[in-house]
Amino acid sequence: MSPSPVRVLLVSDTHIGHEWPRRPRVDRPRRGPDFLANFERALAPALRGEADLVVHGGDLLFRSKVWPELVQRAMAPLFRVADAGVPVYLVPGNHERSKIPFPLLAFHAGVHLFDRPRTHTICVRGTRVALSGFPYLRRARDEFGAALATTGWQAEDADVRLLCLHQLIEGSRVGVQDFTFTTGPEVIRARDLPPAFDAVLSGHVHRAQVLRTDLRGRPLPAPVLYPGSVERTSADERTEEKGYLQIALAPGASPGSATLQPHFRRLPTRPWIGLP
């Protein structure tokens, strides 16, 4: 009998604290609570038992210098998921400057932080899943290989391997002008992705997309999945749908051969209206 698929919920770029000042000087409507509301909506399937694990692809917070109550507010939805018995894996992003502030407030036995290059393992109904990752790298083009090796992923025996990042990967697209990332110190080359991984789960790019081929149309060593942000953070995202990904992974006979079925789940967002 074939093992049942591993169900992964991937959410990213929640930017809690955006347009939500601690002590507002002007009383006016703000979109800050919308980010937290959509974050909670995205995690609802995990609380209903529809996910075996949750990956947050980074930029949990809107910046690195925040007040303690905001960290507690941002971590609370993840704690509820972990309390329900669903493990959570969190990648620190560039807005956190590669680390979660007030780390003691982010501690929970069921929340696993990629605070440095490392590999976490979990057994899901007899399927051994290895999740490797590291915090955001500013110069990822040069540092990616060394950081990946430092995770120790090759020493872990696993049926499914996932690489958890918060990075730009060659071929990802953003904005109303459909800009494509190709080069630059922050952009990871497509050919540098390791074929032994079944999928790359990443944040940082705010448009939801699944990359399966490189810029020349050749298959990627591993598919790259971006869930996008849960809300619009700028006018450049005004035409984009926002949401999260529910992913089913059925182990294959060899490394990197799992059957991958990603499903984008749309979240409600306020319409972006520009003033003349």
Side-chain angles (χ1 to χ4, degrees):
M1 180 181 296
S2 300
S4 58
V6 176
R7 303 167 301 169
V8 181
L9 191 154
L10 175 60
V11 63
S12 188
D13 295 273
T14 46
H15 291 262
I16 305 302
H18 181 81
E19 289 195 23
W20 206 351
R22 186 181 189 183
R23 297 184 182 91
R25 296 180 180 179
V26 178
D27 184 15
R28 63 173 177 83
R30 301 178 189 273
R31 295 192 307 124
D34 294 353
F35 287 76
L36 181 59
N38 267 358
F39 185 22
E40 293 174 335
R41 290 186 183 103
L43 295 175
L47 295 174
R48 295 195 299 264
E50 299 172 13
D52 299 308
L53 58 99
V54 168
V55 175
H56 191 297
D59 280 359
L60 172 71
L61 302 162
F62 80 121
R63 67 182 185 188
S64 61
K65 294 182 179 180
V66 297
W67 50 101
E69 295 83 2
L70 188 65
V71 177
Q72 293 176 316
R73 185 184 295 166
M75 291 301 303
L78 296 177
F79 287 173
R80 288 194 290 272
V81 170
D83 286 340
V86 180
V88 174
Y89 301 87
L90 174 60
V91 181
N94 62 301
H95 276 255
E96 293 110 13
R97 296 193 178 180
S98 304
K99 61 182 180 180
I100 301 298
F102 304 104
L104 290 179
L105 298 179
F107 177 77
H108 187 293
V111 176
H112 309 278
L113 185 64
F114 289 104
D115 54 346
R116 58 180 173 81
R118 61 169 72 219
T119 295
H120 300 282
T121 58
I122 180 177
C123 190
V124 178
R125 295 183 299 279
T127 297
R128 187 170 176 83
V129 182
L131 299 98
S132 303
F134 43 81
Y136 169 77
L137 299 175
R138 186 176 179 183
R139 301 189 63 83
R141 199 170 188 85
D142 295 332
E143 299 172 358
F144 174 70
L148 179 63
T150 307
T151 66
W153 70 271
Q154 292 176 310
E156 295 291 336
D157 183 28
D159 304 302
V160 172
R161 295 187 186 277
L162 301 174
L163 182 56
C164 304
L165 304 175
H166 185 87
Q167 303 290 166
L168 298 175
I169 296 172
E170 182 184 280
S172 55
R173 297 184 176 187
V174 296
V176 292
Q177 284 137 13
D178 207 28
F179 178 82
T180 302
F181 291 100
T182 56
T183 60
E186 290 183 90
V187 182
I188 297 172
R189 300 176 186 89
R191 67 174 183 268
D192 290 342
L193 299 176
F197 282 82
D198 294 289
V200 178
L201 311 182
S202 187
H204 197 29
V205 174
H206 285 195
R207 180 195 294 183
Q209 56 199 284
V210 176
L211 309 180
R212 295 185 182 271
T213 59
D214 65 13
L215 295 173
R216 296 185 180 181
R218 298 170 298 194
L220 290 176
V224 179
L225 285 71
Y226 286 104
S229 57
V230 298
E231 250 292 358
R232 298 183 179 100
T233 61
S234 72
D236 207 35
E237 302 170 37
R238 61 186 180 271
T239 62
E240 296 176 359
E241 290 189 338
K242 297 301 176 182
Y244 59 98
L245 288 171
Q246 287 184 275
I247 307 159
L249 285 147
S254 58
S257 65
T259 301
L260 178 74
Q261 293 182 320
H263 300 281
F264 178 74
R265 307 301 188 196
R266 183 178 175 274
L267 291 169
T269 55
R270 294 179 187 267
W272 193 282
I273 301 174
L275 297 177

